[in-house]
């Protein structure tokens, strides 16, 4: 029998779905790598998000043949040097569009409605009617034109926002008024009211959003990040915020998570934050299971060519 380890906070629910569909699986469940009841030596398939999966953990799984990431990004797995090159890796790409577009909208509306100020007013019982700016008529630059980026583009265009996409492979993409090559990011950032980053974490994307991008942005513009924290030069962002080179930011991801107590981002007044919950939605399991079942069916039939979101180990899904 194929031994599967589901390593996730809600592992039991994923396991129950797999047992219902596949009778020839031996399934182990663990809420964290610290669970000591798991027989790691037997694990052939690992289903996990990647957070907390360490190099030491992979050394305990000598029979591992396939990793199904529950997340779109697989950077947590790729950075582990002990993950053997011949281990198949598939991502959760394709299920995060609705969640990330709603997260972006939440952050943009938090900014435009000054949700921090509204909370302070409520706490102090202050009735202060302040005008707020519409999103309609504004320009948004979305860095990353994949599934999540396109979902964000469609939503913003429906709200009469002009949407410019930035991509390594510029092409016409539904949901965008235009798409430009990555080298033009500083140029289009200069025209943006919102620069929205949805890039996944990999070596090619490290600190793509840097001081040069912030220097080109208007003092009235905002930066939104729902991609990965290491795609942004966080110190350059902090400088831009402190010096009011940009008006503020809406951040769901950070270079170090949890965000350290000493980070200046906690106290900067025009920063709106959430604790990396853009992909943490209640319907996650029901959206992820069809992909897992489809890939498990192909894997058990020895049809790797029919599996979805296979990673070429340089970080690109095929």
């Amino acid at each position: 029998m194929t031994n599967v380890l589901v390593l996730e906070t809600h592992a039991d629910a994923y396991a129950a779905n797999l047992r219902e569909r596949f009778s020839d699986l031996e399934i182990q469940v663990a809420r964290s790598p610290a669970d000591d009841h798991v027989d790691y030596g037997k694990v052939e398939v690992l289903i996990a998000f990647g957070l907390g999966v360490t190099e030491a953990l992979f050394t305990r799984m000598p029979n591992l043949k396939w990793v199904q990431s529950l997340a779109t990004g697989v950077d947590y797995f790729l950075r582990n040097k002990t993950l053997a090159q011949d281990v198949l890796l598939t991502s959760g790409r394709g299920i995060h569009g609705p969640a990330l577009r709603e997260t972006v909208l939440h952050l943009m509306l938090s900014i435009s409605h000054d949700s921090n100020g509204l909370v302070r007013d409520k706490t102090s019982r202050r009735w202060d009617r302040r005008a707020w700016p519409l999103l309609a008529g504004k320009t948004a630059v979305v860095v990353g034109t994949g599934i999540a980026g396109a979902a964000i583009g469609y939503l913003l265009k429906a709200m009469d926002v002009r949407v410019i996409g930035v991509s390594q492979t510029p092409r016409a993409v539904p949901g965008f008024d235009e798409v430009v090559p990555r080298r033009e990011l500083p140029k289009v950032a200069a025209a943006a009211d919102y620069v929205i980053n949805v890039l996944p974490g990999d070596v090619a994307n490290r600190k793509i959003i840097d001081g040069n991008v912030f220097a080109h942005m208007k003092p009235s513009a905002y930066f939104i990040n729902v991609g990965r924290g290491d795609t942004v030069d966080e110190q350059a962002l902090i400088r831009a915020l402190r010096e009011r080179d940009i008006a503020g930011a809406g951040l769901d991801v950070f270079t170090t998570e949890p965000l350290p107590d000493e980070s200046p981002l906690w106290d900067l007044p025009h920063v709106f934050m959430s604790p990396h919950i853009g992909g943490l939605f209640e319907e996650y399991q029901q959206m992820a299971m069809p992909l897992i079942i489809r890939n498990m069916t192909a894997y058990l039939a020895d049809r790797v060519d029919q599996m979805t979101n296979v990673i070429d180990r340089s970080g690109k899904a095929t």
Side-chain angles (χ1 to χ4, degrees):
M1 297 181 73
T2 300
N3 188 280
V4 178
L5 170 60
V6 184
L7 179 59
E8 209 276 310
T9 304
H10 303 99
D12 288 323
Y14 287 95
N17 274 273
L18 287 170
R19 291 190 181 104
E20 182 179 336
R21 184 63 181 260
F22 303 99
S23 59
D24 52 349
L25 295 181
E26 181 182 2
I27 302 176
Q28 303 186 79
V29 296
R31 292 175 60 85
S32 79
D35 288 358
D36 57 9
H37 65 275
V38 176
D39 187 347
Y40 287 99
K42 296 170 64 177
V43 176
E44 180 178 335
V45 178
L46 172 65
I47 300 173
F49 274 101
L51 284 166
V53 176
T54 63
E55 294 184 4
L57 191 68
F58 281 124
T59 63
R60 300 171 65 186
M61 295 186 282
N63 294 309
L64 185 65
K65 295 181 181 177
W66 168 35
V67 175
Q68 170 65 61
S69 172
L70 291 171
T72 294
V74 294
D75 46 310
Y76 295 119
F77 295 107
L78 291 173
R79 69 183 56 164
N80 281 288
K81 298 180 177 62
T82 54
L83 177 62
Q85 192 64 33
D86 60 351
V87 172
L88 184 67
L89 178 60
T90 54
S91 78
R93 182 176 181 268
I95 67 176
H96 294 81
L100 289 186
R101 73 184 173 204
E102 290 185 28
T103 299
V104 166
L105 182 59
H106 163 72
L107 291 171
M108 293 177 77
L109 291 177
S110 292
I111 287 168
S112 65
H113 287 68
D114 186 21
S115 62
N116 289 345
L118 291 174
V119 170
R120 288 192 298 269
D121 287 352
K122 182 177 183 296
T123 301
S124 61
R125 300 172 184 258
R126 178 183 181 186
W127 185 270
D128 186 2
R129 300 177 69 237
R130 298 184 292 273
W132 51 272
L134 290 172
L135 296 182
K138 301 298 192 296
T139 296
V141 169
V142 180
V143 188
T145 57
I147 292 174
I152 292 165
Y154 272 118
L155 175 64
L156 294 181
K157 281 185 65 61
M159 301 177 71
D160 294 327
V161 175
R162 174 171 171 76
V163 186
I164 301 171
V166 176
S167 174
Q168 279 187 309
T169 54
R171 65 210 183 280
V173 179
F176 295 92
D177 291 288
E178 64 175 305
V179 178
V180 302
R182 188 175 285 188
R183 67 176 179 275
E184 294 187 17
L185 172 56
K187 175 183 175 182
V188 293
D193 298 293
Y194 295 88
V195 174
I196 303 167
N197 177 48
V198 294
L199 289 176
D202 63 40
V203 174
N205 294 336
R206 201 85 26 100
K207 294 187 178 181
I208 284 292
I209 313 294
D210 58 11
N212 186 42
V213 174
F214 296 126
H216 278 78
M217 290 173 62
K218 298 183 294 187
S220 59
Y222 291 84
F223 173 64
I224 308 284
N225 193 12
V226 296
R228 280 284 193 263
D230 61 4
T231 61
V232 177
D233 184 338
E234 199 165 274
Q235 292 307 309
L237 171 60
I238 291 170
R239 285 195 298 272
L241 290 166
R242 278 176 165 167
E243 297 171 14
R244 299 308 300 269
D245 294 330
I246 63 174
L251 308 173
D252 184 59
V253 292
F254 306 86
T255 301
T256 301
E257 297 181 358
L259 186 65
D261 290 346
E262 62 273 15
S263 172
L265 292 171
W266 289 109
D267 298 316
L268 288 169
H270 299 289
V271 175
F272 302 81
M273 302 193 306
S274 52
H276 199 159
I277 56 173
L280 189 65
F281 51 97
E282 293 179 357
E283 298 83 359
Y284 201 102
Q285 179 197 328
Q286 68 189 59
M287 294 188 70
M289 281 310 304
L291 171 63
I292 296 171
I293 289 171
R294 185 164 61 249
N295 276 349
M296 185 66 73
T297 300
Y299 177 81
L300 294 175
D302 198 25
R303 293 303 306 266
V304 174
D305 59 306
Q306 295 180 0
M307 296 177 74
T308 301
N309 295 346
V310 176
I311 302 299
D312 68 6
R313 303 304 296 273
S314 66
K316 306 296 182 184
T318 58

